[in-house]
Each structure stands twice: as structure tokens, then as C-alpha cells.
Amino acid sequence: MEDYPAIEDHGLVGDLQTAALITRNGTVDWFCAPRFDSPSIFAALLDRSRGGYFSIVPDGVRYVSKQLYLPNTPILITRFISTDGVGEIIDFMPVTDERPTEQHRLVRVINMVRGSMRFRTACRPRFNYGREPHELEVHPDGSVFRAPSTTLTLHTSRPDGRLIPVEDLQNRNDDLLTFATMNEGDTGAIIMETAAPGPPRAFAIDEVQVLFEQTRDYWRRWLERSRYTGRWREMVERSAITLKLMTYAPTGAMIAAPTASLPEELGGARNWDYRYTWIRDTSFSVHALLGLGFTEEAARYTEWLDGRIREAGDNAAPLKIMYRVDGSSDLHEEILDHLEGYLGSGPVRIGNGAADQLQLDIHGEALDAMLFADEQGIRASHQVWRSTVRMVDWLCDNWDQPDAGIWESRGHPRDYTFGRLMSWVAFDRAIRLVSRTGRPGDVTRWVTSRDAIYNQIMARGYHRGRRAFVQAYGEQVLDAALLVMPSVGFVTPSDPLWQSTLRAIEQDLVSDSLVHRYKPSAAPDGLPGDEGTFNMCTFWYVAALACSGRLEDALLTFEKMFTFSNHLRLYAEEIALTGQQIGNFPQAFSHLSLITTALALDGLLDAEGRGR
């Protein structure tokens, strides 16, 4: 197989229970089943030789490839253009319902648009991260790969019979290699299915067309529910579709990213598994999707969040920072030594050891989402409110202690200003909910805690020498997470303390409009190496500029940020100094913050009377 593609050179397809990444040359190099967080079947993205892949590429001809989405859908079209002809692959996953299932299909339609082209198809699954052996069975209408944990079946479809002549099928050590020549007007398909209930079969082309139309129509009907009519419709709608793709339909939980262990620095060790649901991401998603009018999705996320609040409140314990999509919290972290990692960037980790960290800020994000949802008519049940009260009471006793912080430091706990800030938000939003709904709560105690945090941050979180709010008490390191201080209402944008903080962050953490979370060299976080700029922080910076009276600077920075998306308007977690995307891909935080920033800018521009 070819060398590693750039992280950004991928498209995402999915069925609302799992997803696949497909390169610009038509190779599936990441796919887990039956869920996002299940073991991989294809993971060449983390090891080209041991990870496994499924490729359909032109053979023996020079070509260039182009990739796009069918408008208003996540149906991916990969086009191969040569002097001899033009062929294309249309990749999509028919949407599953809300019942968990082992069966998932990836439909790969091959069309010959002009001329002729010979295609080489190679299917090399590596089950369970390459830890399980498999056997290949070749049938008249397809093939089956059998492993101890599951099966992978390839069905075929072509109007005139077999897509691939029997003589062109090759079993290479239980991997499949095939060749087929297609001429102008020819159409065929390979339907990949996990845990198929029967042997491979020949799909009629009309049946494949129905699957295509059902998938297309589902996504277009879904997107029609958006009420966004602002200035950045293409970017916002693509972000919304991407976030929907990363949502697990049976529970409504949204994962942080569909990938694991893509590096935050090439060759570095900052490689994490993001196939889980963070309380923080879910809370932010409520704001983004309600802002677009997706009330049903926001209600499902809120329902999932309510379940975690009930668990925490009923056990008089803090919220965990992340969970699996089914709400369980066993995320044991392990290293896969047999995989080399993307471009040799090991170790490859699955699971996430940060799951048991104490991060005080997540209570603020959860309560902020609960208040916003309540304002939009999504009210928590009586039982959820009772659990919320117990959780807020727990926070009264525990907010004043070191924690791991929003960035999940693997070093020693510290008195993070952001953790205190969002604890202030938790108390403030809980007090507002009592006032708004008339529900019971120990408001006197909550007000006392809220005011104590405010006074503490002002006394210890603002560094007079740096003239800025700093990452942790008694230190001088700056933190881009504090860019949200005005938006959560802790300070007014015109406050001199905030204005000087914004200037300090610009001097220390902003590089050509892109924003670093913090400086690892100045704030040891228990890990070696460095990292790129953080996309979410850049979008937060845009919002901070806008609300601080620098709207033109905000607009330019926002437009610059669009130039760092990939050819399909997708974002990873970070941007390297080279301008390449790094980290897990695509990343929910990046797309959530793009949406909320676009909504905020639209509001400010509308207030000034600027046309759309």
C-alpha cells in the first residue's frame, strides 16, 4: 500500500452507529464495528502494513483524484481522472435505526463516466486492531472474511452479472485481490457488510439505487430542519452533518472523534483515543444544535446528559469527564505495541486513562447546557432536577481543590482558574434555574459558593505582573480556555482586566491568527513534546475578539480559519506549524465551536445592520 496519506486527505461516511474514513484515492483505512468504540477492522491509518484496508483504485494508469460530498449529504464521491477515462466511486453507509445492531453496510458504487479504466480492489481486513486471524471464503457472488469475533462479507452488484470475473479473483494469504476493467457507462458495486445473516449475494443494481436514494433523502430531509440562514451556510451545514455523523443513534451520545491515536505532534507521544463521549462536548453540542434549530438532537443529547447527572447526583459524586456511547465508564487505557502509529507516531493507545480524572469545569458546562435547554423548552424531569441539586451540593463542598483541568493534564493536579471559573458558572446557572422554574434548591448556599469563587479568582487567578488571568493560581502561564470568560458572563468584554488578558493571550499564544491552548514548555503537563494550535481555541478567539469590540479582526480571523479546513470542509483537532491538520479527525470540538462562533458573529453583524 502507498505511504500514509495526510490526516486531512480523508472523507467521513457513517450510519449513526459507526463510521469509516476514506482517503482521496478511495481507500478505507479506518473502520470499527459494530460501534464507534469497537475494535477496528481497518486501521491502516495507524499502521500501513498491519492495520488493514479496503481499496478500490485505478490500476496501471496515471491519474489524479478529486473528492467531494453529494450536496447536503455525507455521501462521498471520489473521482479518478486520466487521459484514458474518468471513473468514480460513490461511498455511503445506509442509516441504521435507533436499535443497536451488529450489521453495518458500506456501499461502494463504481461508475465509469468516460472512456475505460482497469480497477484494482484489495480487501485486507485486520480484525480487533490486527490481533485476530481470519480466513477468506470465496463464493459465487462475493466473499466472506471470518474472524473469531465477527465476519465481514463482500456482496457484489452489476447489471450483466459478476462484477469481477472468477479468474481475476486472487486469494493472497486470506486477503482478497481483484481486477476488473470497466467501460464508459458501466456501473457496479461492492456492498461491505459486517455480521451479515447469510452468504454473499448478488444485489440488483436497482436495489443499490434504492439504498442510495434512501440515504440521500434521509440526510437532505434532516438538513432541511436547520433554520440557519446566516453568512456561512456551507461551512455551518457541513459541520452540522459531521456532528450528526458522530452521534450514536441508540443513545443520542456524540463522540469526540471517530478515530484513535492520531498524533498531536508528528513523531510525538500525545496520541489519544477520542471515540468516547465527553460531558463537555455534549454540553457544547446542546448550544450549537439548538442554535441551528435541531431540537430533537439537542433533546437526545440532553437526555443522555441527564442520565449521567442522575448517576453522579444519586452517588454524591462528581461527573466523570467521559463515557462510552452507551453511558458506561470503563475506558481502560492500553497500548497496542504491535502497531507503529500514524507515520511512526507511537504509542498507539485505545481506551482513555483520563476518564477517571477530576475536572471541575464539566459541572459548569453541564449546568449551562441545562439552563439553555430549559430556555428553549427542553426541561429536565423532577428526578433529574433532584439529582442536579445533589450534584450542585457536592460541588459546594468540593470546588476548592486542585484538579486535572480542561486539557486533561497527566501531571500533578493544580488549582486551575478555568475549573474555578466553570464552577462559578455551575452555581450561577443552578441559581438561575431555581429562579426560572420555581424548583427547590439551597440557593443561599449556592450564592455563597458562587461569590466565594468570584472573589477567589479575582484575588488569585489574575496575575498582576502578567496583567492577565492565568492558567493556575500562583503561576504565570496563560491558557486559551479563559477566552470564554466574557461569553459565560464572568467579566464584561470592556473590563480592563479582560482587555489586558486578551492582549496577553495574543502576545503569548496566538500565531498568525491560530491559537495554542497553552505552552507545554512553560506548563509541564506530564507528557513529552509539543503540539499544534488548537482549532476550538481559535474559534473561541474569534468570538472573544468580536464581543470585545474588534469585529473586523474577528471576521478576518474567522475567514482565515476556513482556509485550514480540508477539501471537504472538515477539521481535525489541531493545525501544525506546516499548516497541516493533526490530531484525531474529524473533531467534534472544532465543528461545534465553528457553529457557535458563526451564530455569534451573525448576531453581531445583524445588530449592526450589515446585510447577509
Side-chain angles (χ1 to χ4, degrees), residues 290-309:
L290 280 176
L292 298 180
F294 292 110
T295 306
E296 180 181 333
E297 281 70 24
R300 292 296 309 280
Y301 298 151
T302 302
E303 180 181 342
W304 184 91
L305 180 60
D306 287 347
R308 310 293 79 74
I309 290 174

Side-chain angles (χ1 to χ4, degrees), residues 13-18 73-75 92-99 101 103-107 210-222 241 244-245 247-250 297:
V13 298
D15 65 1
L16 306 184
Q17 292 193 25
T18 189
T73 78
I75 295 174
F92 63 94
M93 295 184 70
V95 176
T96 58
D97 59 26
E98 294 185 358
R99 294 172 297 177
T101 179
Q103 292 175 244
H104 300 274
R105 289 176 175 174
L106 170 63
V107 180
V210 168
L211 291 173
F212 170 82
E213 291 174 359
Q214 289 174 340
T215 304
R216 178 199 64 197
D217 294 347
Y218 171 88
W219 285 101
R220 288 185 172 170
R221 284 195 304 268
W222 180 80
I241 291 172
K244 178 70 170 175
L245 279 173
T247 301
Y248 183 66
E297 281 70 24

Side-chain angles (χ1 to χ4, degrees), residues 273 275-276 324 329-335 349-356:
D273 190 347
R275 298 172 298 159
Y276 309 113
R324 292 188 182 273
S329 57
D330 178 17
L331 277 68
H332 173 70
E333 184 173 295
E334 62 178 304
I335 291 175
R349 295 182 178 92
I350 57 172
N352 199 307
D356 294 322

